Every structure is written in structure tokens, then in C-alpha cells.
Amino acid sequence: MKNALISNRFIGFTALIVLFILCFFRAPTPGLNWLLYVFGALVITLLITKRQNVRSILIPSIGLLACSVAVFIHSDALAIVMTILSFGYLGVSLVIAKVDPGFGAFAGFLNFIISPFGVIIRFFQRLNTKNGKFKGLFTTLLIPIVLITFFSILYYQSSPAFKELLNAIRFKHFPQFVGTAVLGLFSASVLLYCFAPQKLNKMYDNISQKSDTISTYMGSGQYTNSWLIGVWSVVGLLAFVLISDVMYHPSQAVSQDFSYSGYVHQGVYASIFSIVASAILTVLTTNYLGDQNKAPFRIANYVFIGLNMLFIFQNVLRNYSYIGQYGLTEKRLIIFIYLILCIVGLLLTVVTIAQNKSLGFLYKTNAFNVYIALIISALLNWSTIITQYNLNHPYGFEKHIDYHYLFSLDNSNTYLLKDHYDKFDEDLQRRFTYRSERIQNYEAYNAREWILSKTTSKERLKALDK
């Protein structure tokens, strides 16, 4: 199809713009329209992608579809952001095979700025080619378009019937239509005309391979014993930290100086750097210091990874104690998710060492680990999860429930709060009444803007009133 007048990619590009207009013209609220557009975009992408390349876009396609489903279900910020990043990730994966979600999402995000301008530049480059078929097509259509536009303006004023016909199709919304079309062009260009130069492709391919340069800089052979002593020294240090933490009991601390928040956050912040640094250190010392004396490094690093697992477990207990004293919140839930990701990351580090893989392998596998976790998080309704937990597990000695915090969450938890109406103060009762009225009066302005969770909340509230 290289010699064809119009390429398959350009046909898909045009179809994406039309699809974007159909989904979002006068329907800007994220909801069903995002799911419809993503589904159509995936179908178009699969149709123009060669069969041998379909497997390389399978993961980003599934991720993008799942994120768009999350937008349709509850349309929260996480689902919207993940859909945008996944859309850019899919565009990059069409250019760089088997790209990881971290690099793909970052490069895809940059393409929301770069790709549209690249499309315009390529358009004029092709237009200036001598005797090009594209130039012939454009010049052939240009004069009819100009003439039709000019005389349509004249006939609009001279013919009442023609004027009434144009008014019937809401010509007054033409500026909004143009704006939607421009956004559609941006979106289509990010997916089908992604910017990723060949040098970037080669650089990314080199990430997966182990570099002898790193081994040289680490002093392979010359400083091997020094590195081994260093690893065992860090193992001893972490063991001392863990033992001292076990012997430290918060209940024995002076109440004025002790803070559960600081107790948890200090441990988590330390674990952020500790887990990442330990993973890098274990892979470097085991897989990059030559093929000799690997057994001593593996033993030392396996012990180090095991101690890091205990370090994570201690932070899990800290966070659980914090929740027991002050209830579950979004931030405390994020800490749990992060700690789970740390455990998976350490297990992947063990695999990296056992299979003698590179740092690039460790990075890529963890990138997919985080990407999948974020997709699952986007699909779940954390507002109702947190509300159900706090209502069923009052915290502290007085069994307190922070209703003010629960009211700060998404409105989808309103039906769960109804049975606690008598426990609210006057301000919260007014807010509950206002939220209930808004939910029960919910009707999507446009069918394309339908959000499933709002309809579900409406039905649940009506069922409780019966």
C-alpha cells in the first residue's frame, strides 16, 4: 500500500477524527463516550496493524480498554488519567515493539504535544513533493471546497429554504464542532503518528542487555571482595534496624512526642529508597561483577532481600496500627498498595538474580507490575470500599467514625451513609439531603455522557426509600 493514493494509516487517521466528533461533539463529560471512542480506536488500530505486530500492542490495548471501562463506571480522576496515559502508551507501542508501560506512557504523554505538530509538518512536506499523488489529490479537492464554502455563504442569505435547512443542522454550533475536530486530530495523531526516532528505538533495545561498561566501573575482579563485604555490612545494618524496631513499642513512648502519622510515614519513606536501592544493589553485585564468585553474592543478596521483606512487613503492621487508631483513608490505602508492590518488586528481583538478567529486565517487569496495579485500582470504587470499612470498623477506644471525611469522598457512597443519618450533625444532615437530591435527580444530559455509578447510586437510594 506504499504506492497507494491514500494509505491505510491515513484512512484510519481520518476515521478516528470522525469517531472522536461522533463521541464528543456537545458531549464533553467523561463517561460512555470514552469507552465508545476507545473501543472504536482499538478496532481501527487492529485493522491497520500487520498481523505479526498485533502481539506487541496486545497489553497496551487491554490496559486502555480496561481504563476506559473504569471511566464509564465511575469517571474518577485516576481512571481518566490512566486512560490518557494508556492511549499514549498504545501509540508508542505501535512504533517501538514491546515497550514497557513506564517509558511508553511517558513518551506517549509527550506525544500529545509533539505528534499533532508532526502531522502538520508531514502534511506540508508531502504537499511540497513534486508530482506527488497526495499533492494532486489535495489540489483537486481544494478548489471545490473553496467554491462550495463561498457560494454556501451567499445562498444562505439569498435562499430562505437553504437558510432554514442550515439552521436545522444547528450551524450555530460550528465553532464548537471545529474545536472538537481539532481535539480529534490531536488524539488521532498521538495514536497513529507517534513520534519516536530510530535512535530512541536503538537506545531502548540496549536497555535489556547487560553492559560491560557497568561491570568495569564497578571494578569487576579488583574490588569484588570489597563489594561482598559491603553487601554483608548492609545486611547487618538492616538486621540491626529490624531488631531495634521490634524492641521499640509505641505504647511506651511519651504521648506528647509520639505521632502515629510520623511513625508510619517515616517507615514508608525510608522503605521507598531502601527497596529500590536494595534491588539495584543486589542485581548489580550479583549479575554485573563477572561470572566468578557469584555464589557468595547470591547468598548475601538473598539474605538482604529476605530482610527487606521483613522491613516491608513491619511497615504493614505500622500502617495497620495507624488505621486502627484513626480509620482508613485514601492515603493509608495507597501505602498498603505501595507495600504490596514492593513485595512483588523484591520477588521479581529474586527472579532477575536467579536468571542472571539485566537491570533493564528488572525495570521492565516492575513497570508492568505498577501498570497492572494502577489499572486494577482504576476499576475499583475506593469511595465505597473505604466507607464500608470505616462504617464497619469504628476506630479508637471510643469507636469513632469520621463522617466529615466520608462526606469528602465521591458521592457514590451516599447510599451507605443513609442508615447513619440520625448520627449526623445539622450540617452533615443538610449535606446528605443535598447529595441525595442530586443523585436521585441524575439524568445524563447526553446518552454519550452516561456514567454507570451515578445511575447505580440513584437506584440504590430509591430502593432504600421504599
Side-chain angles (χ1 to χ4, degrees):
M1 293 296 292
K2 289 184 178 180
N3 297 323
L5 183 62
I6 302 177
S7 66
N8 288 337
R9 185 167 64 161
F10 184 77
I11 295 174
F13 178 78
T14 306
L16 274 176
I17 296 176
V18 174
L19 178 63
F20 190 92
I21 295 172
L22 292 175
C23 290
F24 296 103
F25 177 58
R26 304 196 67 203
T29 303
L32 179 61
N33 46 10
W34 282 52
L35 177 58
L36 294 176
Y37 177 70
V38 164
F39 181 79
L42 290 177
V43 172
I44 293 172
T45 302
L46 291 174
L47 289 176
I48 67 174
T49 302
K50 296 179 180 180
R51 289 187 177 181
Q52 60 268 28
N53 298 332
V54 170
R55 291 183 62 182
S56 64
I57 65 171
L58 188 60
I59 292 179
S61 297
I62 295 175
L64 176 59
L65 183 61
C67 293
S68 64
V69 170
V71 174
F72 166 59
I73 294 175
H74 43 257
S75 189
D76 63 357
L78 178 60
I80 293 173
V81 170
M82 285 301 299
T83 302
I84 295 174
L85 293 178
S86 297
F87 193 84
Y89 170 36
L90 177 60
V92 176
S93 66
L94 290 172
V95 181
I96 305 177
K98 299 180 180 179
V99 63
D100 69 87
F103 180 83
F106 175 74
F109 178 77
L110 295 179
N111 270 281
F112 278 96
I113 302 174
I114 299 172
S115 291
F117 295 101
V119 169
I120 296 173
I121 292 172
R122 290 172 185 172
F123 173 80
F124 284 104
Q125 284 177 341
R126 294 195 64 184
L127 192 61
N128 290 328
T129 56
K130 295 181 179 180
N131 301 322
K133 293 182 179 180
F134 184 81
K135 180 179 180 180
L137 175 65
F138 181 77
T139 53
T140 301
L141 295 177
L142 179 61
I143 294 177
I145 291 174
V146 172
L147 290 176
I148 289 175
T149 303
F150 176 75
F151 281 96
S152 293
I153 296 174
L154 295 178
Y155 295 151
Y156 180 78
Q157 296 296 335
S158 61
S159 173
F162 186 63
K163 181 177 182 179
E164 185 176 348
L165 178 63
L166 290 182
N167 288 337
I169 62 174
R170 297 184 176 182
F171 189 74
K172 64 179 180 179
H173 297 296
F174 182 73
Q176 186 177 355
F177 176 85
V178 172
T180 306
V182 170
L183 290 177
L185 184 146
F186 269 61
S187 178
S189 63
V190 169
L191 184 60
L192 299 184
Y193 289 91
C194 177
F195 175 79
Q198 292 298 322
K199 290 183 179 180
L200 193 62
N201 293 1
K202 294 180 180 179
M203 181 187 71
Y204 186 78
D205 291 337
N206 292 332
I207 294 177
S208 300
Q209 302 175 2
K210 289 198 299 182
S211 174
D212 295 333
T213 305
I214 296 177
S215 301
T216 302
Y217 282 134
M218 292 181 66
S220 178
Q222 185 177 2
Y223 298 106
T224 301
N225 292 332
S226 180
W227 277 107
L228 182 60
I229 295 173
V231 173
W232 278 112
S233 299
V234 177
V235 169
L237 177 63
L238 182 55
F240 176 78
V241 171
L242 292 173
I243 294 173
S244 62
D245 191 74
V246 170
M247 297 178 64
Y248 175 75
H249 299 286
S251 59
Q252 297 177 357
V254 180
S255 59
Q256 295 180 350
D257 299 331
F258 182 76
S259 168
Y260 267 102
S261 176
Y263 184 57
V264 172
H265 293 160
Q266 288 174 6
V268 172
Y269 294 152
S271 67
I272 291 175
F273 299 101
S274 175
I275 300 303
V276 174
S278 62
I280 295 174
L281 177 63
T282 53
V283 174
L284 284 175
T285 53
T286 306
N287 297 354
Y288 284 81
L289 285 178
D291 296 328
Q292 299 178 353
N293 299 323
K294 277 196 173 183
F297 278 108
R298 283 189 175 180
I299 295 173
N301 283 318
Y302 285 152
V303 173
F304 190 35
I305 292 173
L307 291 177
N308 273 282
M309 287 285 192
L310 293 177
F311 187 45
I312 294 173
F313 181 70
Q314 282 189 344
N315 282 289
V316 170
L317 294 179
R318 288 185 184 185
N319 196 41
Y320 184 76
S321 298
Y322 190 20
I323 293 172
Q325 291 294 323
Y326 298 101
L328 181 64
T329 64
E330 290 175 313
K331 291 182 179 180
R332 294 157 202 167
L333 191 60
I334 291 173
I335 290 176
F336 269 134
I337 295 174
Y338 166 74
L339 294 174
I340 293 172
L341 290 176
C342 285
I343 293 174
V344 177
L346 287 177
L347 293 176
L348 291 174
T349 304
V350 173
V351 174
T352 304
I353 294 174
Q355 297 183 359
N356 195 23
K357 297 290 186 178
S358 65
L359 279 175
F361 172 82
L362 179 63
Y363 159 72
K364 287 183 179 181
T365 51
N366 275 291
F368 282 103
N369 172 31
V370 174
Y371 182 62
I372 294 171
L374 288 175
I375 291 175
I376 295 174
S377 298
L379 287 168
L380 299 176
N381 189 330
W382 295 112
S383 176
T384 57
I385 293 174
I386 293 173
T387 302
Q388 286 178 332
Y389 181 89
N390 285 346
L391 293 179
N392 295 327
H393 301 86
Y395 61 83
F397 296 105
E398 298 180 357
K399 301 299 179 182
H400 182 69
I401 297 176
D402 189 351
Y403 293 112
H404 287 275
Y405 171 74
L406 298 181
F407 270 83
S408 69
L409 300 175
D410 185 78
N411 289 352
S412 58
N413 69 349
T414 303
Y415 75 97
L416 295 170
L417 297 171
K418 187 175 179 61
D419 291 338
H420 294 255
Y421 181 84
D422 294 336
K423 301 177 182 178
F424 301 157
D425 56 32
E426 293 183 1
D427 178 61
L428 289 181
Q429 288 180 347
R430 286 194 297 268
R431 291 174 62 182
F432 179 84
T433 302
Y434 175 73
R435 289 175 62 157
S436 299
E437 291 176 352
R438 286 191 60 188
I439 292 174
Q440 292 184 357
N441 293 330
Y442 168 74
E443 292 291 342
Y445 175 77
N446 189 298
R448 293 169 294 171
E449 298 176 312
W450 177 34
I451 300 174
L452 181 61
S453 64
K454 292 188 176 181
T455 302
T456 304
S457 298
K458 177 180 178 179
E459 293 175 351
R460 286 172 173 172
L461 272 178
K462 286 185 177 179
L464 291 175
D465 290 336
K466 292 181 180 179

